[in-house]
Amino acid sequence: MKKALITGVSGQDGSYLAELLLEKDYEVWGVVRRSSSFNTARIDHLRDDFHNGQLTLVYGNLADGGRMSSIVNEFEPDEVYNLGAQSHVRVSFDEPEYSANVNALGTLRLLEAVRHMKNPAKFYQASSSEMFGKVAEIPQSETTPFHPRSPYAVAKVYSHWQTLNYREAYDMFGCSGILFNHESPRRGESFVTRKITRGATRIKLGLQDKLFLGNLDSKRDWGYAKEYVEAMWMMLQQDKPDDYVIATGETHSIREFLDTVFESLDMDWNDHVEIDPLYFRPAEVDVLLGDPSKAKEQLGWGAKTTFSDLVKLMTEADMELAKKELAIASI
């Protein structure tokens, strides 16, 4: 039985990855931050579905290098997936120091812990399309220069290059997946896609009146998170470590996302959406479009879920959630 350690296991990607690895008969340790309330809703079903102790949650924080070393030394994983982060780009402008501490130095702490293992684990770093920022070319590939436009993106560039540095300096098996935007019904509600599907379905059922958004003209390459974690696993199964862009190869604007969601609900978003300057970034990223040809050729990976199917999947899931909310409110 292989053993995998996942930071950020309670997040969208962490939950899907844990699910995938458990189905492949891995023993999984998931790192969660200690807080006053439980935040494990995305993975609670996994603890019910797997009764043989294959999933263990441990408290840890990427800001605490000593604790991360203790976890790595105790568990001795075969694979480490670093998905933990302060993951909201807009918030990183408000909390730049915290974002850098966790997203940049946190990766360094974990790389050091893995490097000092008796048998160093294979390491996956969650890089981001936000690293391309003010893009030098369209589409973006593994060789496109980075021009980060947020504290979040700058920290991700640091982690990306540190992973490459440890690969070359210490002969570690380290891979970075440059994932473009990937969504699902498990996406956090503060992220724009989920904010739209959640808000639109609540508006449809009369649970709210308005939806407040920022820049509607930003274009992103959106895929299905459940498929993207498969690419993470595939990277660590290769003979040699490398970095890969994971994307659909299509780009759509937030305005298009709005159109698709509200049309499916027979509504006009113009009647319900208001622009709030609070949600604009100090430095915008206008368009992201990934070239996933390397992943297709070397990993055999490709996105299967279309943009319209992804929007439908998320809208239907949030409609069910809104119906439950309405039923409770009616009691």
Side-chain angles (χ1 to χ4, degrees), residues 1 15 17-28 43-56:
M1 181 182 289
S15 67
L17 179 61
E19 200 168 61
L20 175 71
L21 296 179
L22 290 170
E23 289 171 355
K24 294 183 179 296
D25 203 32
Y26 275 65
E27 181 182 356
V28 177
I43 54 176
D44 286 341
H45 70 287
L46 298 179
R47 307 187 80 179
D48 295 332
D49 293 343
F50 294 87
H51 300 287
N52 55 357
Q54 284 179 249
L55 175 62
T56 301

Side-chain angles (χ1 to χ4, degrees), residues 103-114:
N103 296 9
L105 294 180
T107 303
L108 180 63
R109 296 178 184 112
L110 191 55
L111 281 166
E112 274 291 279
V114 171

Side-chain angles (χ1 to χ4, degrees), residues 63-306:
D64 184 346
R67 176 58 180 155
M68 296 311 300
S69 292
S70 295
I71 293 171
V72 167
N73 290 331
E74 181 182 354
F75 186 43
E76 297 183 331
D78 301 294
E79 298 170 3
V80 172
Y81 296 85
N82 184 32
L83 310 186
Q86 188 297 101
S87 59
H88 201 284
V89 177
R90 179 61 189 84
V91 170
S92 74
F93 285 100
D94 300 323
E95 298 189 346
E97 184 177 341
Y98 173 73
S99 299
N101 188 21
V102 174
N103 296 9
L105 294 180
T107 303
L108 180 63
R109 296 178 184 112
L110 191 55
L111 281 166
E112 274 291 279
V114 171
R115 180 170 78 89
H116 289 290
M117 293 176 64
K118 183 178 181 181
N119 296 301
K122 293 183 176 182
F123 185 88
Y124 172 83
Q125 168 58 23
S127 289
S128 167
S129 60
E130 288 287 332
M131 300 188 305
F132 295 119
K134 188 175 182 180
V135 298
E137 61 185 7
I138 299 174
Q140 296 90 52
S141 71
E142 293 81 4
T143 59
T144 302
F146 300 136
H147 188 148
R149 299 267 283 173
S150 66
Y152 167 88
V154 171
K156 283 292 187 179
V157 170
Y158 176 96
S159 291
H160 182 89
W161 284 118
Q162 282 290 13
T163 302
L164 176 61
N165 182 49
Y166 272 63
R167 184 165 78 207
E168 295 179 348
Y170 304 114
D171 199 29
M172 283 177 54
F173 195 108
C175 297
S176 289
I178 308 174
L179 271 59
F180 281 64
N181 292 63
H182 43 291
E183 319 298 316
S184 76
R186 299 183 191 176
R187 188 59 143 154
E189 293 182 21
S190 63
F191 291 86
V192 67
T193 52
R194 184 76 196 290
K195 187 176 180 180
I196 291 171
T197 57
R198 186 84 170 94
T201 51
R202 295 186 84 250
I203 289 170
K204 181 68 175 180
L205 298 186
L207 292 166
Q208 73 181 64
D209 297 320
K210 295 291 183 180
L211 178 60
F212 296 92
L213 299 172
N215 182 9
L216 303 186
D217 296 318
S218 294
K219 293 183 177 180
R220 294 292 185 269
D221 185 326
W222 278 304
Y224 184 24
K226 188 173 183 178
E227 296 172 356
Y228 282 40
V229 301
E230 295 176 3
M232 299 177 187
W233 175 79
M234 288 177 174
M235 291 179 207
L236 298 196
Q237 312 315 307
Q238 304 305 302
D239 293 331
K240 295 181 179 180
D242 208 342
D243 305 323
Y244 300 88
V245 162
I246 304 300
T248 69
E250 294 183 10
T251 190
H252 300 271
S253 68
I254 294 173
R255 195 179 301 273
E256 287 179 76
F257 199 98
L258 270 172
D259 285 336
T260 307
V261 173
F262 276 79
E263 284 176 8
S264 72
L265 298 171
D266 296 318
M267 295 191 297
D268 184 347
W269 63 262
N270 290 285
D271 297 331
H272 303 283
V273 173
E274 292 189 11
I275 304 303
D276 188 338
L278 175 67
Y279 298 111
F280 282 84
R281 303 177 186 178
E284 289 285 350
V285 174
D286 297 321
V287 56
L288 293 174
L289 173 62
D291 176 4
S293 56
K294 180 178 176 180
K296 183 177 181 180
E297 293 167 4
Q298 296 189 19
L299 301 179
W301 181 90
K304 302 180 184 69
T305 303
T306 65

Side-chain angles (χ1 to χ4, degrees), residues 207 323-331:
L207 292 166
K323 287 178 180 178
K324 292 178 182 178
E325 188 179 355
L326 181 61
I328 293 173
S330 301
I331 295 176

